[in-house]
Amino acid sequence: KSPKRPERILRAINQLTKDATTSCIFSFRDVLEIREEQFEPFVFANDQQMGVSDENIGALKNYGIKCIRWSERKDIIDDLAA
């Protein structure tokens, strides 16, 4: 958390399947409902051994969750820095 940005909450997912995507969406929504302060949700999806579906990334995006492929993690460092 910083004066300019809300707290960031990260979740790492080894295989971003449809079930994992749904579970992630529900868990972030549950947290959002009970927290008074807003936060920015991020998912790191492992794309090293298995591809990451654009459909699953789109589903996360529809709920305001930023999905970052593990191979692109260095591109997001500024967004995660406080």
Side-chain angles (χ1 to χ4, degrees), residues 4-54:
K4 296 179 183 179
R5 305 266 319 265
E7 181 178 15
R8 272 81 69 199
I9 297 181
L10 311 174
R11 181 165 177 189
I13 298 178
N14 192 36
Q15 293 182 347
L16 190 63
T17 62
K18 184 176 181 179
D19 288 340
T21 301
T22 303
S23 173
C24 183
I25 290 168
F26 282 127
S27 65
F28 274 129
R29 288 185 55 111
D30 287 345
V31 171
L32 187 61
E33 287 178 11
I34 61 171
R35 291 185 59 138
E36 292 182 16
E37 290 188 39
Q38 294 293 312
F39 63 90
E40 244 181 297
F42 286 86
V43 167
F44 281 96
N46 184 354
D47 64 346
Q48 300 299 296
Q49 291 143 354
M50 189 173 138
V52 176
S53 162
D54 288 338

